[in-house]
Amino acid sequence: MKKLTTVLLSTAIAASTLLVAGNAGAVSFERPDPNKLSAAGATVKEFVEGASHEFNLYVAHGCEYLPYKAANTTSLLMVTPSAPEAKFDTITPVLDAAGKPKLDAAGKGIMKAAIMENVFFSKRTDAVTGKVIEYDTGPVLNLRVSTNEIGAKTKSYWEKIGGFSHHGREQTDSVSALHWHSFNLTDEFYTDLKFRATTAKFRGCVQSATVYVPVWQICGKTDYTSFSAHPNLKGANDFAPSFKIVRNEVGNPYPASCAKDVTKRLDVIVSPSVMQINKYLKATGYPGKRVKHSFAHG
């Protein structure tokens, strides 16, 4: 699987937007398409905040290419970041004394990362009192899995996430992991595993969020490969599939502090916590420490 990199767009346009590469691998949210390549050479799937979207988890082939020599993929586990157990890394540019982004030797912006809480939210208006009620959430809400022939048997794992607005009502739990099972994907076939979810809204000066979704591709009865490495893990080449949520500047305008000064806008990387991942690995019976570059650091 291709190595993921983060690339800062030219500071000549005074932006700190990150493009994330590497989604053209064996499991991704976007099929490889030369007409949709980013500057780094891989597809970037984008979804606008605060809206319902269909997601396609693209599985390119079975397991014949693996050392295990098991031709068929029999199941797939996917874990999405959910509050409060998700980890939010805020990526911001390093500024010089004049308040301008510092550049490295290649002319690209120098970035720094910090942990940030309360990035995502959902809100509703109470029909009786008219009061606006706001909830802290994870990046995706109200996940609903589609059924199709190859993944007809699917287990959904629900988790309490502290509440969010769904059709004007409060909902306190959401699907945080999916386990497609009891199918056989041979090496000469591919499939799309579909689900719908609503993207949360951004607070403050956040302009985008890249969401990493670890996946375990199960081969035969006992072997598997993991696409689960955290994007900040150096030297790994089995990064989790990812998609990007972008701000709706019309429906959710930037606050005054960053409305004009784009260097103050933030990009966020979101991934499930080790606790969350290991919980679902245990539930499905797959050991979490067999793969070298997993979130569990096995």
Side-chain angles (χ1 to χ4, degrees):
M1 187 166 179
K2 246 184 196 178
K3 185 176 179 180
L4 284 163
T5 55
T6 53
V7 181
L8 179 66
L9 290 177
S10 170
T11 54
I13 59 174
S16 59
T17 302
L18 292 176
L19 291 180
V20 179
N23 272 0
V27 182
S28 69
F29 282 100
E30 181 76 20
R31 298 179 189 174
D33 184 345
N35 296 319
K36 296 182 179 179
L37 295 183
S38 72
T43 53
V44 179
K45 187 67 174 177
E46 293 188 348
F47 302 91
V48 70
E49 65 165 344
S52 178
H53 300 279
E54 181 181 73
F55 294 78
N56 294 325
L57 190 65
Y58 169 60
V59 185
H61 48 68
C63 299
E64 182 65 29
Y65 70 101
L66 296 172
Y68 315 125
K69 298 298 181 183
N72 293 358
T73 296
T74 53
S75 62
L76 211 81
L77 171 66
M78 179 192 80
V79 181
T80 66
S82 61
E85 295 181 347
K87 177 182 179 182
F88 306 152
D89 296 326
T90 306
I91 309 300
T92 60
V94 176
L95 305 180
D96 60 20
K100 296 182 180 181
K102 287 186 177 180
L103 304 181
D104 61 17
K108 296 179 180 179
I110 301 172
M111 307 299 288
K112 63 180 178 180
I115 303 300
M116 181 178 184
E117 300 295 336
N118 302 327
V119 172
F120 306 97
F121 76 98
S122 173
K123 66 180 179 181
R124 68 180 178 89
T125 302
D126 187 275
V128 177
T129 65
K131 181 181 178 181
V132 175
I133 303 172
E134 192 169 294
Y135 311 89
D136 294 329
T137 73
V140 291
L141 311 167
N142 196 44
L143 192 155
R144 294 291 184 270
V145 63
S146 172
T147 58
N148 54 38
E149 183 179 355
I150 198 166
K153 295 183 178 180
T154 307
K155 169 69 175 178
S156 300
Y157 292 94
W158 291 74
E159 185 170 332
K160 295 288 184 181
I161 62 171
F164 62 94
S165 176
H166 176 53
H167 294 301
R169 296 183 178 182
E170 182 181 13
Q171 184 168 319
T172 59
D173 52 10
S174 185
V175 173
S176 296
L178 291 172
H179 181 205
W180 290 274
H181 61 92
S182 300
F183 62 84
N184 285 286
L185 180 69
T186 58
D187 207 50
E188 68 270 25
F189 290 96
Y190 75 90
T191 189
D192 289 301
L193 300 176
K194 302 178 185 295
F195 61 92
R196 291 197 69 87
T198 300
T199 52
K201 284 180 170 283
F202 294 147
R203 281 196 179 94
C205 293
V206 175
Q207 67 177 356
S208 75
T210 301
V211 182
Y212 283 83
V213 181
V215 168
W216 278 259
Q217 184 178 5
I218 314 305
C219 308
K221 294 182 178 180
T222 59
D223 293 315
Y224 64 90
T225 186
S226 166
F227 304 100
S228 62
H230 189 279
N232 291 341
L233 186 61
K234 295 182 179 179
N237 60 2
D238 54 355
F239 291 97
S242 67
F243 59 87
K244 189 173 183 178
I245 304 173
V246 295
R247 192 177 189 114
N248 177 0
E249 296 185 35
V250 176
N252 186 17
Y254 287 104
S257 60
C258 54
K260 295 182 179 180
D261 187 353
V262 296
T263 65
K264 293 183 179 180
R265 298 178 186 179
L266 304 175
D267 297 279
V268 177
I269 292 176
V270 188
S271 62
S273 67
V274 172
M275 180 190 304
Q276 184 182 357
I277 289 172
N278 286 342
K279 174 169 60 179
Y280 296 121
L281 283 172
K282 182 178 180 180
T284 54
Y286 305 139
K289 295 188 176 182
R290 181 171 173 177
V291 179
K292 181 178 180 182
H293 293 304
S294 71
F295 276 86
H297 306 296

